[in-house]
Amino acid sequence: MAEDEFRIQGAFQCAPVLAKIKASNLLTLEKEDTWQLVRIMENTQLSCEYLYTITKRSVWLVFWKDELEKILSSRANRRFLRSLGYREFTLAAVLNRLKQRCRAHHEGRISYPHELGIILGYPLADVEGFINHKGQNYLCSGYWKVYENAEGARRLFALYNQARNQAASLARAGLGFQELIQVLELQMLLSENCENQTIPGSVSA
C-alpha cells in the first residue's frame, strides 16, 4: 500500500485512540505493510502488539500502555479474565495469553476470545451481556453491542465517529500520527460533546 494511503487508513482505524478517547484499537493491515506501521508510530508514545494473521492480513493492537494497564487493574475485569484461564495480569502476560487464544480461535481450536472486548475498552457488562445473550437482545449496536447504558454508548459512538472523520481529513492533509495525536486531543477537549462525560476505555488527561 502506498505510504499516504496507509497513513490515512491507519488514522481512520485508530482515530479514537489517537484522540485519546479510547485506550486501544485494532489495526488490520497487509503483512508487507508492517514496516509502515513502525514508521508512522515513530515519535509517539503509542505501543503496538501483533495479535494474529488472517490469510494475508495481520491484526495489531494499538494502545496507550498506561491506560490499558488501568483496564487490567480492575478487579471485575480480572475476575472475568481469570474465568477464561488467565492467571497473570501484567500487561505483557495478558497480551501473550490473548495472542495465544486469538490464534487458537482462528485455527478452529477454541471459541471466540471474548476477552478481546475488555482489552479494547468495552464495558464488562456489555462483554458479559454479549456472551449471555449470544449476541442477541442488545439495546443498540455500534462499535460493539450494548447491553447497559445505551444512551452513554450512543454518545461515545458519536465521539468515535467524529474522531474518525477528523482523523481521515487531517491525514489526507498530510499529518502523521504524532501531529494527529496533538490536534485530535485538542479538538476532542474543545468539543461540546466531551463536556462532563465519563468515557469507558478513555485516556485520562
Side-chain angles (χ1 to χ4, degrees):
M1 184 182 293
E3 187 173 348
D4 287 348
E5 183 181 356
F6 182 86
R7 187 183 66 253
I8 294 167
Q9 286 297 320
F12 183 77
Q13 291 187 49
C14 297
V17 173
L18 298 177
K20 295 189 176 181
I21 55 174
K22 197 169 187 290
S24 60
N25 233 105
L26 295 180
L27 176 62
T28 304
L29 56 127
E30 301 292 336
K31 288 193 289 186
E32 60 266 25
D33 288 328
T34 300
W35 69 271
Q36 296 207 64
L37 174 60
V38 175
R39 182 170 180 177
I40 64 173
M41 290 184 60
E42 287 179 349
N43 301 316
T44 74
Q45 294 182 332
L46 279 169
S47 299
C48 65
E49 189 82 23
Y50 167 73
L51 294 181
Y52 58 89
T53 295
I54 305 178
T55 61
K56 295 182 179 181
R57 300 179 68 81
S58 58
V59 179
W60 292 71
L61 183 73
V62 177
F63 59 95
W64 297 105
K65 182 176 181 290
D66 290 348
E67 297 304 319
L68 198 48
E69 287 175 337
K70 289 180 184 177
I71 289 173
L72 296 178
S73 71
S74 160
R75 290 184 179 180
N77 286 341
R78 287 190 174 189
R79 281 196 298 269
F80 177 75
L81 292 171
R82 192 175 288 111
S83 73
L84 296 173
Y86 287 76
R87 293 295 178 263
E88 296 182 53
F89 300 102
T90 64
L91 180 56
V94 169
L95 291 181
N96 184 57
R97 177 66 173 160
L98 176 66
K99 286 188 286 186
Q100 292 174 355
R101 285 174 51 79
C102 283
R103 292 167 193 171
H105 167 67
H106 288 286
E107 292 169 0
R109 294 188 283 115
I110 65 170
S111 59
Y112 185 82
H114 291 288
E115 67 270 26
L116 182 56
I118 299 299
I119 303 302
L120 292 172
Y122 302 172
L124 177 59
D126 292 337
V127 175
E128 292 182 326
F130 184 93
I131 296 170
N132 294 336
H133 294 278
K134 302 184 186 303
Q136 304 299 314
N137 304 320
Y138 47 88
L139 300 176
C140 67
S141 64
Y143 288 78
W144 62 84
K145 290 183 177 178
V146 178
Y147 291 85
E148 287 190 10
N149 191 15
E151 181 181 351
R154 289 189 184 100
R155 291 197 304 267
L156 184 58
F157 295 162
L159 283 177
Y160 289 174
N161 289 337
Q162 178 184 341
R164 277 189 156 189
N165 292 334
Q166 292 174 341
S169 177
L170 292 166
R172 290 190 190 98
L175 273 68
F177 269 29
Q178 183 180 19
E179 295 84 3
L180 284 169
I181 290 168
Q182 296 171 348
V183 175
L184 288 171
E185 181 182 15
L186 178 60
Q187 289 182 343
M188 290 295 106
L189 288 172
L190 294 176
S191 172
E192 291 182 356
N193 291 326
C194 287
E195 292 183 0
N196 301 319
Q197 291 196 46
T198 300
I199 300 174
S202 65
V203 177
S204 56

